[in-house]
Amino acid sequence: EVQLVESGGGLVQPGGSLRLSCAASGFTFSAYWMHWVRQAPGKGLVWVSRVNGDGSSINYADSVKGRFTISRDNGKNTLYLQMNSLRAEDTAVYYCTRFYGWYESFDTWGQGTLVTVSS
Amino acid sequence: QSVLTQPASVSGSPGQPITISCTGTSSDAGTYNLVSWFQHHPGKAPKLMIYEGSKRPSGVSNRFSGSKSGNTASLTISGLQAEDEADYYCCSYERNSTFWYVLFGGGTKLTVL
């Protein structure tokens, strides 16, 4: 079964850091682009970042560029999101998702991990 | 940057059809061929319902269908059921100066009366 499981969320003070992880199973992890998408409380889905299969191509939304770093460890089948200089507006549930080229869309999502930035 | 506009809410009675629209501001009509629709029950993982505008992934009920006209994509659910009550998001892409940017609509809350 194709599965994504996020972890690492929690409460952090403004200006703090947090690293999210997304453990993948049931598919050849290194063959897929992987993305992070977030949802602030009461708001819609917003794309955050993406990385290609070998980690050589990376993009970010303007709102997180320079503060967040996406990476992956294909040996551990794990996707990461290092979040620094966190702000209140980064409070959200963070989802990792697999981009499936045949569909040109996101076919598998994790359940999400909640990040709360507050003093 | 383009915006995908969805109605904030729609409602319908069991057995009735409903349609959710997603209107984009991009001048690149080609991106609308890549519109996806996701169903999201709060607290759960989003689920892909439609890809490439009108195609259904394996396992998705044929009560869900997608279409597009000009810069507007639509999701239609025929024969509403209680379990269809959820938030629905459209998704597409826009090319900025360096890469294809992922856009989501603001979401539509579907209430089954």
Side-chain angles (χ1 to χ4, degrees), chain B residues 82-102:
Chain B
E83 60 262 36
D84 298 333
E85 185 163 294
D87 298 319
Y88 290 84
Y89 295 90
C90 61
C91 175
S92 188
Y93 310 96
E94 179 187 55
R95 181 77 182 180
N96 70 9
S97 59
T98 56
F99 67 96
W100 284 96
Y101 195 94
V102 181

Side-chain angles (χ1 to χ4, degrees), chain A residues 20-105:
Chain A
L20 307 183
S21 300
C22 170
S25 59
F27 65 100
T28 304
F29 181 66
S30 61
Y32 292 87
W33 284 79
M34 297 296 297
H35 296 238
W36 287 99
V37 174
R38 68 184 181 184
Q39 183 179 33
K43 303 294 185 181
L45 300 174
V46 175
W47 177 77
V48 173
S49 182
R50 68 179 182 188
V51 60
N52 70 341
D54 65 8
S56 62
S57 181
I58 286 172
N59 301 111
Y60 299 97
D62 289 342
S63 58
V64 305
K65 196 179 302 181
R67 300 187 300 122
F68 289 12
T69 302
I70 191 172
S71 63
R72 62 193 300 160
D73 184 334
N74 288 339
K76 295 182 178 180
N77 290 339
T78 303
L79 175 72
Y80 301 102
L81 187 67
Q82 176 67 43
M83 304 185 295
N84 298 331
S85 303
L86 283 162
R87 307 166 180 168
E89 54 264 37
D90 295 318
T91 294
V93 174
Y94 285 74
Y95 297 96
C96 66
T97 180
R98 182 180 83 165
F99 186 83
Y100 187 50
W102 187 258
Y103 291 165
E104 292 283 1
S105 189

Side-chain angles (χ1 to χ4, degrees), chain B:
Chain B
Q1 186 175 99
S2 295
V3 174
L4 298 177
T5 300
Q6 300 179 232
S9 63
V10 298
S11 61
S13 299
Q16 284 187 333
I18 63 95
T19 296
I20 300 171
S21 62
C22 171
T23 301
T25 57
S26 172
S27 59
D28 183 354
T31 59
Y32 299 108
N33 292 322
L34 298 179
V35 170
S36 303
W37 289 91
F38 297 92
Q39 177 190 66
H40 190 202
H41 289 102
K44 296 196 171 183
K47 179 183 178 182
L48 177 64
M49 306 303 285
I50 296 288
Y51 67 96
E52 290 184 4
S54 61
K55 298 176 182 178
R56 278 188 309 276
S58 174
V60 171
S61 169
N62 60 8
R63 296 185 299 106
F64 291 82
S65 62
S67 63
K68 67 175 178 67
S69 177
N71 65 340
T72 297
S74 298
L75 173 71
T76 298
I77 308 174
S78 61
L80 268 183
Q81 298 180 1
E83 60 262 36
D84 298 333
E85 185 163 294
D87 298 319
Y88 290 84
Y89 295 90
C90 61
C91 175
S92 188
Y93 310 96
E94 179 187 55
R95 181 77 182 180
N96 70 9
S97 59
T98 56
F99 67 96
W100 284 96
Y101 195 94
V102 181
L103 292 170
F104 288 96
T108 298
K109 181 176 180 59
L110 170 60
T111 300
V112 180
L113 302 172

